[in-house]
Amino acid sequence: MAVRTALITDRIPIAESAQIIYVYDKRDCYLKNVLTFIESAIEQEEHVLLIDDACLFDTALQHLSRKKTPQQLTTVHFASNACLVSYFQNEQTDESLLSSIGVGLHDYQNRYHPLRLWIRADTTESVPERIQHFSKSFLMKLQFMFVAAFDGNKISAQTENVLRKCHEYFMTDDTIVLSNLIDKNLTPFKQLSVQQSEKKTRLQLQATRERLESFIGQNIDPIMILDKNDQSLFINQAFSNLLGWTERDVVGLPADKLPEIDPKRAFEVGRDRDRIKLQNQITAYESIRKTKFGRLINVSITGYPLVDENGEYNGRVMTVQDITATKQAQLLHFQAEKLSLYGEMAAGLAHEIRNPITAIKGFLQLARLEKKEDNDYLPIMAAEIRRIESILNELLLLAKPKATRFCRNNLIEIIEDAVTLLHPQASLAQVDLITTFDKRPLFIFCDKNQLKQVCVNFIKNAIEAMPKDGKVRIHVKSRPGEAIIVFSDQGKGMSKNILEHIGTPFFTTKEQGTGLGMMVSNEIVKSHQGTVAISSKVTRGTTVEIHLPQMAGIVTQD
């Protein structure tokens, strides 16, 4: 007749850190349960420490070697239980002996994880108090699954009850049950409950992580994950679909060496890291990325931090969205706005150019009449010609379509160019353009032509909002990390209702306006990771503030 065993892993669910007391009667049943315990551990890829006599360990290995591979058997470890025999035979409780066993188990637990323990505690009925002490002082402090086996022929029912009060599971040769005598007020039992709760939490966290990984992997937005040292950890399929790069191409590389990032844009990596630490996110900004096939595409990039269990920064998630179609639509808007701008500026430009041409014609006539070699009129004519050339150059520079090109530029020069371009229109409208900044450079990372168009739009709006003899003030200042341009006029101002609609496509208060100028300007500033703030009061005028990121190592404006 086959020997019936408890099959401790199959009959009832056993907690990961279960404390099992096993009182056995038959040696062959004992061996069967040892083998079942070890086989279960191997199947779950856990290590087993068997504290027993060497003879039983050799017998167990002989049986296991018929079913398991040598590699699997390397997870089975042995220690002699001779020290426990000595412990139970001595009249005095040897605390140092228990302590040394505990240290040894701690070492095993650190080296082999996860670990489960089978320990046979040979004893005699003459020392029941020592069994209770062994249980409470040693067994109940273990933080992993164990089976503590006692010979049922050597302990009394009284000692057995003592063991059942201290441990959650009770096992015989063919049965394992939850102990009905467990003292639930014992601290070790509370610890076990906490352990089970922690296991549940770990399982929930693992399930959450798997759902998150599935969400990221199947997300339609291209996603890259970087660690806290800016090294690439992961990309999803959408990232590969957009840019062509695979995990083999990018995972493991430093972010500033990634093949999709142009070396000229490597500065974005450190800037993104600093911003996400300070602001807890990276708001969408525009950039350029290179596909595996060499094509450059416009992208919008956002980012969010990853934190560890202590809430410390541990990396970031970066999303990359293709905005090529959006940029093409914006380009059409930009060109439409430019055409409108040129038409409105034509009268002022014609008036401004006509004046120096008239002066040149007059001086030429005088020069022919006087026929002097050293003519005093020539320097004046040359100056007027240079002025015409400057105005036409600025107009052509603004009109000529160019690819977006971000680089280091002096903000002061950009504003001065815009003022030069609009001076004719201001003169025609009898409006003064007043600049209040010095000539020291103020460097920002920008597209010069785009930012000049923004300045032209806001200055032109201010001129058109002004009565005769009005003043448009243009002020530049800086704060740590940002440059600020302020345009203020003395016009009629705007109501709160109109302010709420400013920037809406095709919304305008001008009879001949397109309603695109403010929208175009907002989009340009946004692409430079800046902001536009507008304040206005009826009859008091309007103030526009543009905030732009400032480059490090600049000369600041007061």
Side-chain angles (χ1 to χ4, degrees), residues 421-441:
L421 184 61
L422 285 168
H423 195 274
Q425 185 174 346
S427 298
L428 189 63
Q430 299 181 30
V431 171
D432 291 333
L433 299 181
I434 301 173
T435 58
T436 54
F437 48 81
D438 60 34
K439 301 298 182 179
R440 289 181 298 170

Side-chain angles (χ1 to χ4, degrees), residues 501-557:
H501 292 85
I502 291 296
T504 303
F506 307 110
F507 174 81
T508 181
T509 59
K510 305 174 187 177
E511 291 183 6
Q512 303 299 323
T514 64
L516 296 174
M518 183 60 70
M519 184 203 73
V520 168
S521 298
N522 283 338
E523 289 298 326
I524 290 175
V525 173
K526 184 179 178 182
S527 72
H528 286 70
Q529 300 182 56
T531 58
V532 177
I534 303 176
S535 59
S536 185
K537 291 186 178 179
V538 177
T539 73
R540 299 284 297 276
T542 301
T543 298
V544 177
E545 284 193 7
I546 301 176
H547 294 247
L548 295 166
Q550 188 175 324
M551 294 186 69
I554 63 164
V555 178
T556 59
Q557 301 281 328

Side-chain angles (χ1 to χ4, degrees), residues 133-175:
H133 182 270
F134 172 69
S135 175
K136 290 184 177 182
S137 301
F138 177 73
L139 291 179
M140 294 174 68
K141 293 182 179 180
L142 299 179
Q143 301 297 311
F144 47 87
M145 177 189 286
F146 71 81
V147 173
F150 294 87
D151 188 341
N153 298 310
K154 296 181 180 180
I155 60 173
S156 66
Q158 179 184 0
T159 303
E160 182 178 311
N161 286 339
V162 168
L163 293 171
R164 294 179 68 172
K165 287 180 180 180
C166 299
H167 301 282
E168 189 176 9
Y169 296 96
F170 180 74
M171 175 177 162
T172 64
D173 285 339
D174 58 4
T175 304

Side-chain angles (χ1 to χ4, degrees), residues 184-404:
K184 297 185 178 181
N185 293 318
L186 288 174
T187 300
F189 181 77
K190 291 180 182 179
Q191 290 176 344
L192 179 58
S193 300
V194 170
Q195 293 166 10
Q196 292 171 339
S197 175
E198 290 176 348
K199 178 184 178 182
K200 181 179 180 181
T201 301
R202 287 197 302 272
L203 292 174
Q204 290 173 340
L205 289 174
Q206 182 179 354
T208 300
R209 179 177 178 179
E210 291 174 352
R211 287 196 298 269
L212 180 60
E213 289 177 349
S214 175
F215 169 77
I216 292 175
Q218 299 178 24
N219 199 296
I220 61 173
D221 289 331
I223 294 175
M224 169 177 280
I225 298 179
L226 303 175
D227 67 15
K228 62 181 179 181
N229 298 316
D230 292 337
Q231 186 165 318
S232 172
L233 294 178
F234 171 83
I235 59 172
N236 66 354
Q237 187 59 46
F239 187 97
S240 295
N241 293 343
L242 174 64
L243 296 172
W245 305 104
T246 65
E247 286 191 350
R248 180 177 297 179
D249 297 321
V250 300
V251 171
L253 291 178
D256 57 357
K257 303 296 183 184
L258 290 170
E260 72 269 18
I261 299 180
D262 188 281
K264 294 180 181 179
R265 291 187 171 271
F267 71 91
E268 292 179 357
V269 175
R271 184 194 63 191
D272 290 349
R273 180 186 62 248
D274 294 340
R275 284 188 174 179
I276 209 166
K277 287 182 178 180
L278 291 173
Q279 303 172 6
N280 209 37
Q281 66 174 350
I282 299 173
T283 54
Y285 71 90
E286 294 182 9
S287 187
I288 303 292
R289 290 295 181 264
K290 183 172 66 174
T291 71
K292 193 171 185 177
F293 312 105
R295 186 169 65 93
L296 297 178
I297 61 173
N298 297 101
V299 295
S300 174
I301 297 176
T302 56
Y304 301 91
L306 297 172
V307 296
D308 59 20
E309 61 272 14
N310 298 317
E312 297 295 328
Y313 175 77
N314 199 37
R316 60 186 182 273
V317 177
M318 306 296 291
T319 62
V320 183
Q321 291 185 319
D322 184 3
I323 58 170
T324 302
T326 303
K327 293 296 291 183
Q328 290 173 346
Q330 286 179 356
L331 182 59
L332 293 175
H333 285 307
F334 293 164
Q335 296 304 320
E337 177 61 21
K338 284 182 181 180
L339 290 173
S340 173
L341 178 63
Y342 302 151
E344 294 176 14
M345 291 171 59
L349 287 170
H351 173 79
E352 191 69 16
I353 292 174
R354 185 186 299 115
N355 287 342
I357 288 177
T358 302
I360 292 170
K361 288 171 63 179
F363 289 136
L364 285 173
Q365 291 172 358
L366 290 173
R368 283 197 296 268
L369 291 173
E370 296 181 2
K371 298 180 180 179
K372 292 181 180 180
E373 292 184 2
D374 297 326
N375 198 304
D376 296 333
Y377 303 125
L378 293 179
I380 300 175
M381 290 189 296
E384 293 295 338
I385 291 172
R386 285 195 297 271
R387 177 162 177 75
I388 294 173
E389 184 181 30
S390 174
I391 293 172
L392 294 177
N393 284 341
E394 286 299 323
L395 183 61
L396 289 173
L397 184 63
L398 189 63
K400 185 179 180 181
K402 291 186 177 180
T404 302

